[in-house]
Amino acid sequence: MLNTPQQPRVRWKPGIFSPIPTWTENPQISVIESLCRRHLYPDTPLPVSLTITFLAEGAFNKLYTVSASTDSSDSPELKVYVFRVSLPVEPFYKTTSEVATLAYIRRYTTIPVPEVIAHSATVENELGFEWILMEKVHGVSLSEVWPHMAISAKEEITEQVASCVLQMRALCRFDAIGSLYCQGALEEKEGVDVLDAKHDAYVIGPLVTSFFFVGGRRLRVRRNRGPYLNDHDYVLALTEVELEDMKLLKESTEDAADYDKYMAEDVPDIVHATHQLQDLLPSIFCRPSTPLGALPSTPSGASPDPPKGQFVLCHHDLSLSNVIVDPATYKITGIVDWECVGIIPTWGDTYPQFLVGPEADEEPEPLADGETDELLLETWDDWEKMRLRKVFDGVVGQCGDSGMQELKREFREQLDMLGFSVRFVERWLKAHLDDGRLLVPN
């Protein structure tokens, strides 16, 4: 169990669905420049010009472009890097696991990912934030060119993404659910369970997922973050965090920074629905029966080891924004944004985010040039995604899900829905409990 206190420089404020993190102060450009100079050119005798430019901002990060050039008429050099500053929404673990995951991907696959040059996984540094300095991937995000691409080009891109996913499913398989860390990175952390990843220099440690810190309060509750040896313990841990979160919200006052007055009204219903989900866990997620004592190096309180390689490293946000391509050739030059990427059950690894959509009944009429009707555009987009999913399946192979695998995904989705619409979860529970369908796997 981990109980990580919230760190300074981040404040949670009310959002549309839940509290969102905000910056209490901005990173100092002069300090970023100093750090970059120190790590990029520690021994360079030539004068180096560094230009730091704001690039983008995400939910938890600010990104800066670092343009570096040396004053040399013989061999002028211009290199570009990315400096990412992170809020401590999951102090230490989010940065540390992301750095290890990128190193693992670069070592065991040919998936193009940025190389990390230096990083700090603590706010105890001159910048006052966690940060990562990495190479900048050449190209543009797929989102910039996607709307103007022909369907044939989209099919080629989909095949490339599918090849990356196929590598991860084949080469990044593990015996436990959790996040990757470099060996030795967690040695000084008390109360942290670690499993051998069975890949040189890596271990499996606590899972980093936004579910464990969304809203801010969850940083202050007891959290069993794994690693987990089966999906039952994994999903049970999620439900327990939900209950602890609701308990803390109920005890909070309205002047608390992470107080959510809209969710507070639904606390009794959320707690009741979560208990109902817990009651159904044994029917969907079976725990292995091997005695715990028969397993060496098993974390205290965890369940026995599942079949080897049952879990896979999965990039959960393969969106158009995180796939970088050459704008001239549409060849993938990099996959970015590996924060909170962890090892999950194979039933949770499905289509990339940019291919997710409903099944279309029939092919719509071709769009007219300059079409602006949103309904027609959405209908065509759904049809196109369905066609591209078939392309994806052609490379990776159809997942061949059983009804129980789909049911597990649905169950997991209910946990995400609790904070957004507990009524949706109640309807899902009722639909399955009333006729007993939940207990009859297909």
Side-chain angles (χ1 to χ4, degrees), residues 240-396:
E240 290 175 339
V241 166
E242 184 70 42
L243 292 174
E244 289 290 329
D245 184 23
M246 291 302 98
K247 179 181 178 181
L248 184 58
L249 177 57
K250 185 178 180 180
E251 297 170 350
S252 299
T253 58
E254 293 189 15
D255 59 348
D258 53 12
Y259 184 79
D260 188 330
K261 65 178 182 179
Y262 300 107
M263 184 179 291
E265 298 173 356
D266 289 332
V267 165
D269 293 333
I270 293 174
V271 169
H272 179 68
T274 305
H275 281 304
Q276 284 187 296
L277 290 169
Q278 284 187 331
D279 290 341
L280 295 172
L281 267 171
S283 300
I284 306 174
F285 305 92
C286 298
R287 301 180 69 172
S289 58
T290 306
L292 183 62
L295 291 171
S297 69
T298 299
S300 175
S303 294
D305 199 358
K308 182 178 180 181
Q310 184 175 340
F311 311 112
V312 63
L313 191 67
C314 173
H315 193 309
H316 62 280
D317 191 16
L318 281 175
S319 64
L320 295 177
S321 298
N322 292 331
V323 179
I324 310 301
V325 300
D326 184 312
T329 64
Y330 295 147
K331 298 297 182 183
I332 293 180
T333 56
I335 304 291
V336 300
D337 195 3
W338 291 78
E339 65 177 355
C340 298
V341 168
I343 304 162
I344 65 171
T346 53
W347 51 258
D349 182 19
T350 55
Y351 291 106
Q353 189 273 339
F354 74 94
L355 295 183
V356 175
E359 292 295 312
D361 295 329
E362 58 183 22
E363 182 175 1
E365 293 294 325
L367 294 175
D369 291 339
E371 180 62 70
T372 59
D373 187 289
E374 292 186 4
L375 181 59
L376 290 177
L377 291 171
E378 183 177 347
T379 301
W380 187 260
D381 185 56
D382 289 340
W383 173 262
E384 197 173 66
K385 286 181 178 179
M386 187 176 71
R387 177 172 171 177
L388 294 175
R389 287 197 293 272
K390 295 178 181 179
V391 173
F392 183 89
D393 289 340
V395 176
V396 176

Side-chain angles (χ1 to χ4, degrees), residues 175-193:
D175 297 337
I177 299 167
S179 291
L180 281 177
Y181 299 85
C182 292
Q183 206 165 49
L186 304 178
E187 287 183 351
E188 297 182 2
K189 297 292 180 180
E190 296 183 3
V192 175
D193 292 324

Side-chain angles (χ1 to χ4, degrees), residues 95 98-100 102-103 106 113-120 131-135:
T95 297
E98 181 178 3
V99 169
L102 284 168
R106 289 179 62 87
V113 298
E115 179 181 5
V116 173
I117 297 166
H119 76 281
S120 175
W131 55 266
I132 297 178
L133 173 62
M134 66 190 88
E135 66 176 358

Side-chain angles (χ1 to χ4, degrees), residues 55-70:
L55 177 61
E57 182 172 356
F60 314 125
N61 310 298
K62 290 181 184 290
L63 284 78
Y64 301 84
T65 299
V66 181
S67 301
S69 61
T70 57

Side-chain angles (χ1 to χ4, degrees), residues 4-14 19-27 57-62 85-92 94 123 127-130 213-217 219-220 256-258:
T4 306
Q6 186 170 343
Q7 294 198 8
R9 299 179 178 83
V10 57
R11 179 180 295 120
W12 296 83
K13 70 175 185 179
I20 56 176
T22 59
W23 302 71
T24 60
E25 59 184 86
N26 288 315
E57 182 172 356
F60 314 125
N61 310 298
K62 290 181 184 290
V85 186
S86 297
L87 288 172
V89 290
E90 187 67 280
F92 174 79
K94 185 167 75 69
V123 299
L127 185 63
F129 295 95
E130 298 182 22
F213 60 76
V214 66
R217 291 184 307 274
L219 282 174
R220 310 204 310 271
D258 53 12

Side-chain angles (χ1 to χ4, degrees), residues 134-159:
M134 66 190 88
E135 66 176 358
K136 189 177 190 300
V137 178
H138 164 74
V140 300
S141 68
L142 188 54
S143 60
E144 293 186 31
V145 295
W146 188 261
H148 314 293
M149 293 172 61
I151 185 64
S152 58
K154 292 181 178 180
E155 289 175 343
E156 292 180 5
I157 283 286
T158 299
E159 289 178 348

